[in-house]
Structure formats: C-alpha cells, structure tokens
Amino acid sequence: MKCENSFCIYQFKSECLLDKVDIDSLGMCTECIYPDIDEVILNKAKLKLLRNYKKQIIIERLVLSWCSASKA
C-alpha cells in the first residue's frame, strides 16, 4: 500500500512494508515508528534548512522591493 510518511521505518520507496495497518480517527497510521535521530545531526539539518529558507525569504523580499520600485 502507498505511504507518504518518509520518516516511518516501515516506508520504503513510497510503499508501506507492512501487510496490514490500522488508521486512527485523524487518518494516521497507528503502526508508524519514527527512528531516533542523533540530536547533533538533527540540529545541523534544521540549521541548514533554516538558512536556506532565510536566503529564500531575503530573495523574495528583494524581488518584491524591486518590482515595487519599478512601478513607482
């Protein structure tokens, strides 16, 4: 069966490795297990993503300001 939760240990190539799963009232799989991720590795990944998002936000603001300036 299809599975979109790439963090679950049972998901592989968008498929669930289990033959049967139960779904709770929120539509979430009750068998899902998340692996423990080393806190140092997790924080590095978070910081990298935050930097990328910050760069993207700065670029978007620059584009918007350039568009606003060109209309004036």
Side-chain angles (χ1 to χ4, degrees):
M1 76 191 80
K2 291 287 184 193
C3 176
E4 296 178 5
N5 188 347
S6 59
F7 292 105
C8 179
I9 66 168
Y10 297 119
Q11 191 262 27
F12 182 71
K13 294 185 178 181
S14 299
E15 295 284 332
C16 181
L17 299 175
L18 299 174
D19 293 328
K20 180 182 179 283
V21 297
D22 291 315
I23 305 298
D24 67 15
S25 61
L26 298 175
M28 311 249 331
C29 173
T30 59
E31 282 76 19
C32 182
I33 298 175
Y34 295 98
D36 289 330
I37 300 173
D38 182 87
E39 192 171 343
V40 172
I41 294 170
L42 182 60
N43 286 334
K44 283 182 181 179
K46 286 180 179 182
L47 186 57
K48 181 179 178 182
L49 285 170
L50 285 171
R51 285 181 179 147
N52 289 339
Y53 284 122
K54 186 176 177 181
K55 286 178 189 175
Q56 185 61 37
I57 289 170
I58 290 169
I59 291 169
E60 289 172 1
R61 287 181 182 166
L62 284 172
V63 169
L64 287 174
S65 67
W66 290 337
C67 290
S68 298
S70 66
K71 290 180 182 179

